[in-house]
Amino acid sequence: MGTYSFQDVNGAITGAGGAINLGNGAGNAEEGILIEQLEDKNIMTIGADGQGMHSLVAGNAATVTVTLLKTSPVNAQLMQMYNYQKTSSVLWGKNTIVISDFGRGDLEMLTEVAFKSVPANSYAKEGGTNAWVFDAIQRSTVLGVGTPEI
């Protein structure tokens, strides 16, 4: 099988206002980084007579959720980037997010990325987390075989 560790996960968002670490060392919460395809690649339609058809969906849009500890300094960096980018449509939706796991040989490349919103913010008994959600128009994924070349 093999071994997994978040220590092997590198990630960053780059765009107007800077380049910010999202991977190991960013103060990630247990939930880490989640990348989800926005829509299914296939739509199956079954006719009245029981015959079927598959439709290949061209879109590769995805959402990316980066969950950080409340005390992570990356929250302030992302907030500054968000505040800067929201000042003009010229700056909006032009980020790139790259996530890699060099222990697995995985690579996620997301382009035309925009902040979805400011994360929900809670002040409670425990510090909790901030979940930053991004919308990406394009996603390209390579899942490695678990033994990348070193």
Side-chain angles (χ1 to χ4, degrees):
M1 278 284 215
T3 304
Y4 168 82
S5 174
F6 191 80
Q7 292 177 20
D8 297 335
V9 176
N10 294 312
I13 181 170
T14 57
I20 300 169
N21 176 30
L22 301 176
N24 184 42
N28 302 84
E30 286 185 5
E31 297 84 358
I33 302 167
L34 175 64
I35 303 166
E36 296 180 286
Q37 200 72 16
L38 192 61
E39 56 187 344
D40 292 338
K41 190 51 77 179
N42 185 65
I43 297 172
M44 184 172 65
T45 306
I46 303 297
D49 66 352
Q51 295 296 310
M53 171 182 70
H54 292 284
S55 296
L56 175 62
V57 176
N60 290 313
T63 59
V64 180
T65 304
V66 179
T67 307
L68 301 170
L69 296 174
K70 183 88 164 168
T71 55
S72 170
V74 173
N75 289 304
Q77 295 170 354
L78 289 170
M79 192 76 242
Q80 288 174 341
M81 181 182 260
Y82 170 86
N83 285 334
Y84 177 64
Q85 291 182 6
K86 74 176 185 169
T87 63
S88 172
S89 62
V90 172
L91 305 172
W92 195 255
K94 295 179 173 67
N95 297 305
T96 298
I97 294 177
V98 178
I99 308 293
S100 65
D101 176 351
F102 64 85
R104 306 282 68 71
D106 295 352
L107 178 64
E108 293 272 4
M109 173 81 71
L110 301 117
T111 57
E112 300 178 76
V113 177
F115 287 86
K116 191 161 190 81
S117 68
V118 174
N121 197 8
S122 174
Y123 300 95
K125 179 179 178 181
E126 294 181 15
T129 62
N130 289 336
W132 291 88
V133 181
F134 303 90
D135 286 331
I137 293 177
Q138 293 296 324
R139 175 188 187 190
S140 174
T141 302
V142 175
L143 296 180
V145 296
T147 53
E149 292 189 28
I150 297 177

